[in-house]
Amino acid sequence: MTDVSTVSARRQGAVGRLTVNRPEALNALDLPMIRAMLTALDEWESDPAVTAVVLDGAGDRAFCAGGDIGVVHSSAVGDPAVALTLWREEYRLDARLARYPKPVVALMDGITMGGGIGIGAHAAVRVVTERSVLAMPEVAIGLAPDVGGALLLARAPGELGPHLALTAGRVGPGDAVHCGLADHRVPAGRLAALVDDLAAGAAPEPAVAKYAEDPGPAPLAAARCWIDHAYGGARTVEDVLYRLDAIDEPGPREAVAAITAAAPTALKVTLRAVRQARAMSTIEECLRQDFRLCSRFLAHPDLAEGIRAAILDKDRAPRWRPGALAEVDDDSVEAFFAPLADELDLPEPDHLLHP
């Protein structure tokens, strides 16, 4: 159905199957993949034989590890238009999946980070497995969570969202369900049977419930006391660190280490972004904010440096500019959120256009 080898779009009974098929790159998304997925979704929307869409990733390591970070780095040091085009199309895909008129069942088996959260965690039915690892790790490379991730994190219980955003924390299936990033845990070995049931015409929710098991432990739920204390009401990232430093326990100490290793500018922008997302009611509103932030980070030295240190050279020694939280003033943070001359254009949901 598609001539893009890195996306497999085909019919299986009553469902449209979308498989991101780039396992050697942990199914990272590039522009041709994004456009192929949009094309398939457009075709299936008007096909009465397709009653649902199943979205998964090739291989057994990753659902989708994110967007193509190499493209973003090349754009940051070269032509910004390349990354901006990628993000425009990617955010359009995220919104399309979130608003799709037929149920989208996302099988987030394995590594699911960044752009993988964007295509999977806004779906109607979100499935994780015992192999799933979810994260929005952008602050570690000098960026803020995008793909509507701030909206998901803002809706997590208590202060778990800001905690995950500032620490670039990774969660397993139990915490993914607890934080609202997923709905059900299904054993990886039963996914094929689940898809067969869906292809035979079974309704998604009952079909998933048939195979779902207890999601397992949720360590973050047990850590809510100190997390809510540290982040709740804290005005700045420095306030968060001060409160964490005062708690002599392994969890808070690990959080301090993770936060202090991240880019200072990205940390301050991220805290504000997640808190602003708490007042948002639509994914489109969040994606417009994301596009503003990513556009500004693309011109900031930390993004290229963060990708260099984490992905390219892998020396894990980024030289952030500025290098300290105290050097990131309120005006510089405010500038990230200012309107763009060329804003992200997304259609408003029908229920907002026709109350």
Side-chain angles (χ1 to χ4, degrees):
M1 184 170 176
T2 175
D3 60 1
V4 177
S5 63
T6 48
V7 169
S8 174
R10 72 276 188 203
R11 281 279 309 283
Q12 181 179 340
V15 300
R17 296 289 308 277
L18 265 182
T19 301
V20 283
N21 185 26
R22 199 182 172 198
E24 74 286 350
L26 299 180
N27 297 322
L29 298 173
D30 60 18
L31 190 56
M33 295 168 69
I34 291 166
R35 288 177 170 167
M37 294 170 74
L38 284 165
T39 296
L41 292 170
D42 288 346
E43 292 178 3
W44 290 335
E45 182 174 359
S46 58
D47 185 345
V50 175
T51 60
V53 173
V54 174
L55 175 60
D56 63 1
D60 58 7
R61 292 185 61 201
F63 167 64
C64 174
D68 192 323
I69 207 69
V71 170
V72 174
H73 182 269
S74 296
S75 187
V77 299
D79 181 5
V82 175
L84 293 175
T85 299
L86 174 70
W87 285 327
R88 282 185 188 277
E89 296 291 307
E90 182 181 11
Y91 298 170
R92 182 179 162 224
L93 175 62
D94 297 336
R96 186 89 167 96
L97 288 164
R99 299 288 182 189
Y100 203 61
K102 300 177 180 183
V104 176
V105 181
L107 307 181
M108 298 185 288
D109 179 28
I111 298 169
T112 303
M113 298 185 183
I117 297 287
I119 62 172
H122 298 293
V125 183
R126 305 163 303 168
V127 175
V128 289
T129 75
E130 70 278 8
R131 303 186 297 202
S132 296
V133 178
L134 280 66
M136 293 297 297
E138 286 77 7
V139 293
I141 60 166
L143 191 61
D146 65 334
V147 300
L151 187 65
L152 295 167
L153 294 173
R155 294 172 175 176
E159 296 293 324
L160 296 184
H163 174 69
L164 287 174
L166 295 186
T167 61
R170 301 183 177 195
V171 299
D175 274 326
V177 173
H178 179 73
C179 291
L181 300 174
D183 303 305
H184 306 279
R185 174 188 175 272
V186 172
R190 306 192 77 186
L191 292 179
L194 167 60
V195 173
D196 286 344
D197 284 2
L198 294 169
E205 282 288 357
V208 173
K210 173 183 172 182
Y211 295 98
E213 297 184 351
D214 187 290
L220 286 179
R224 276 281 306 278
C225 182
W226 65 261
I227 290 174
D228 288 357
H229 169 75
Y231 295 83
R235 191 179 66 84
T236 64
V237 179
E238 292 95 326
D239 290 343
V240 172
L241 288 171
Y242 178 81
R243 296 181 185 189
L244 289 170
D245 264 328
I247 308 171
D248 188 18
E249 297 177 15
R253 287 197 294 270
E254 291 170 4
V256 169
I259 293 171
T260 53
T265 299
L267 288 167
K268 290 202 169 184
V269 171
T270 292
L271 182 60
R272 174 169 170 178
V274 173
R275 287 181 168 170
Q276 288 195 173
R278 286 176 171 164
M280 296 178 181
S281 58
T282 69
I283 185 176
E284 290 82 6
E285 188 177 1
C286 188
L287 289 169
R288 291 189 190 99
Q289 173 176 277
D290 292 344
F291 190 72
R292 291 180 181 181
L293 301 184
C294 285
S295 297
R296 270 53 186 261
F297 277 113
L298 195 60
H300 193 283
D302 281 356
L303 179 55
E305 172 63 7
I307 296 172
R308 179 207 64 76
I311 309 297
L312 302 180
D313 297 343
K314 297 183 180 179
D315 60 22
R316 309 293 177 183
R319 295 177 291 275
W320 306 123
R321 293 187 286 165
L325 287 166
E327 298 171 5
V328 184
D329 59 46
D330 292 344
D331 288 344
S332 64
V333 173
E334 179 72 24
F336 277 81
F337 294 83
L340 297 165
D342 187 13
E343 295 273 27
L344 178 67
D345 182 23
L346 291 173
E348 287 293 342
D350 287 344
H351 73 277
L352 296 181
L353 295 174
H354 308 288

